[in-house]
Amino acid sequence: VPIVQTSTFVFENQQQMLDSVQGKSGGHVYTRWSNPTTKNVEEKISALEGTEDTHVLASGMAAISSAIIGIVKGGERILSSDSIYGGTVHLFDKILMQYGIQVDYVDTDELVNRLTDSRDTYKLCFFETPTNPTLKIVDIKKVADAAHATGTISMIDSTFGSPINQRPHLLGVDLVMHSATKYLGGHSDIIAGTISGSNELMANVRSAAKLLGGTMDPFASFLLDRGIKTLSVRMDRHNFNAKYLAEKLEKDSRIRKVHYPGLTSHPHHDIARKQMDGYGGMLSIELESNLAGTSKFVDSLEIFLNAVSLGGVESLASIPVLTTHYGIGEKALREMDIAESTVRLSVGIEEPSDLLQDLLAALDVIG
């Protein structure tokens, strides 16, 4: 599929244009509505996720906001796990509340019970697994089943997992969202988001997205398509490298805790093993240090780049309290199991022994 780098499309006559506007012909009218290059990558992501439809947008936050605004009305309520991306927390607490949408947070282990006990209370249940940044695992099928039993739409941020490691829709989740900036793109050179689901639900999401205007540029869609071509082989290396590092670091006394679902010591390892084909390239470590020492550790890394984001071929390191979860209250951080000494590692596809030596050298610097 060529890169159709255009904002508008030319028609032979008014009837042909009207047929496209009304959706009768399947033709494209305006790139804010649809574009052939973007449609091509949307079809590929639907095939990966096992969904009827996918909409690709200009960022992960555009995907989340378009889905929620397309489905949830003022006065309705959302149930969310308390361990989610900081940007999503700010969207829920600072934006949605202004429009009369209440979000109730619950511990990841209590999602199913809360859903079961709150029939007809919630329009939408939102959760992540693995969670950002402490890699908690939620039982996807149990949440999806509980949501369906109570008439609640389920929506997952599956960014950390990728469609190679987990396919939530096949386990019953209604809407699957990704920050495609991350593993789907894979090269840290685009900003993109995806939302996938049934044709019925996606019609509402697409209508909202069309008006909100978080449109994916056609060239960025081409780059996303390029990334998907190598997704499977990249994820194999991400999975291997992260598990290798987690197993090595777990034995280091200078590290208080290693968060990685592939470790048998992880509290939700059995759930992860049941619903994931691989455990992903993300891990978090909690150092035996304070914020100053943790900052020195990250600043001392050489292969791991000091940067936010994740899922690219290069390894990245960041401190959540200074980046993704900056500005979130101490109580909420504790509930997410995020400390000042927590470091999030996006493990790339470099030589694993080199990555380990980089981490060990930085640990030596802080003593």
Side-chain angles (χ1 to χ4, degrees), residues 252-288:
D252 196 305
S253 61
R254 295 168 293 183
I255 296 176
R256 185 178 300 131
K257 190 182 298 183
V258 176
H259 302 279
Y260 187 69
L263 294 174
T264 56
S265 60
H266 190 285
H268 302 124
H269 174 70
D270 288 342
I271 299 173
R273 186 174 57 183
K274 177 179 64 175
Q275 66 191 24
M276 301 181 77
D277 295 328
Y279 301 110
M282 297 300 300
L283 67 94
S284 290
I285 57 176
E286 187 177 328
L287 304 180
E288 289 284 3

Side-chain angles (χ1 to χ4, degrees), residues 20-82:
S20 293
V21 169
Q22 294 177 336
K24 296 178 180 178
S25 66
H28 301 278
V29 179
Y30 189 55
T31 286
R32 178 162 57 82
W33 296 12
S34 63
N35 179 279
T37 311
T38 302
K39 183 179 180 181
N40 169 62
V41 77
E42 289 173 340
E43 291 172 348
K44 291 183 178 180
I45 294 170
S46 288
L48 284 170
E49 293 289 357
T51 58
E52 292 178 337
D53 190 24
T54 292
H55 193 32
V56 172
L57 295 106
S59 70
M61 293 306 300
I64 292 176
S65 57
S66 295
I68 290 175
I69 291 174
I71 291 170
V72 185
K73 301 182 180 66
E76 294 179 326
R77 294 168 67 182
I78 295 172
L79 178 66
S80 173
S81 62
D82 60 4

Side-chain angles (χ1 to χ4, degrees), residues 295-304 358 361-363 365-366:
S295 298
K296 188 175 182 180
F297 167 79
V298 173
D299 291 346
S300 299
L301 294 167
E302 295 185 0
I303 299 176
F304 279 86
D358 192 33
L363 286 169
V365 170
I366 65 172

Side-chain angles (χ1 to χ4, degrees), residues 152-322:
T152 305
I153 296 168
S154 56
M155 178 177 169
I156 185 174
D157 181 341
S158 192
T159 299
F160 272 32
S162 89
I164 301 302
N165 287 332
Q166 63 184 27
R167 286 158 293 283
H169 187 69
L170 301 185
L171 296 175
V173 173
D174 296 308
L175 292 171
V176 180
M177 172 266 163
H178 288 273
S179 173
T181 309
K182 315 307 195 289
Y183 287 115
L184 291 175
H187 295 81
S188 302
D189 55 7
I190 62 169
I191 300 291
T194 70
I195 187 79
S196 305
S198 67
N199 288 328
E200 180 181 2
L201 282 176
M202 289 302 299
N204 295 325
V205 175
R206 284 183 174 274
S207 293
K210 184 189 297 185
L211 297 174
L212 291 171
T215 306
M216 184 76 158
D217 180 79
F219 186 69
S221 294
F222 161 75
L223 292 176
L224 178 56
D225 184 37
R226 169 217 57 185
I228 289 173
K229 291 177 181 178
T230 61
L231 178 61
S232 180
V233 292
R234 284 188 288 106
M235 289 311 304
D236 284 346
R237 187 57 178 255
H238 285 301
N239 292 341
F240 178 86
N241 282 2
K243 190 169 187 289
Y244 170 83
L245 292 180
E247 290 174 343
K248 297 293 186 181
L249 295 174
E250 188 179 35
K251 301 172 184 177
D252 196 305
S253 61
R254 295 168 293 183
I255 296 176
R256 185 178 300 131
K257 190 182 298 183
V258 176
H259 302 279
Y260 187 69
L263 294 174
T264 56
S265 60
H266 190 285
H268 302 124
H269 174 70
D270 288 342
I271 299 173
R273 186 174 57 183
K274 177 179 64 175
Q275 66 191 24
M276 301 181 77
D277 295 328
Y279 301 110
M282 297 300 300
L283 67 94
S284 290
I285 57 176
E286 187 177 328
L287 304 180
E288 289 284 3
S289 187
N290 54 23
L291 182 57
T294 303
S295 298
K296 188 175 182 180
F297 167 79
V298 173
D299 291 346
S300 299
L301 294 167
E302 295 185 0
I303 299 176
F304 279 86
L305 303 176
N306 190 345
V308 297
S309 199
L310 60 102
V313 294
E314 305 92 354
S315 293
L316 307 177
S318 63
I319 302 172
V321 297
L322 300 182

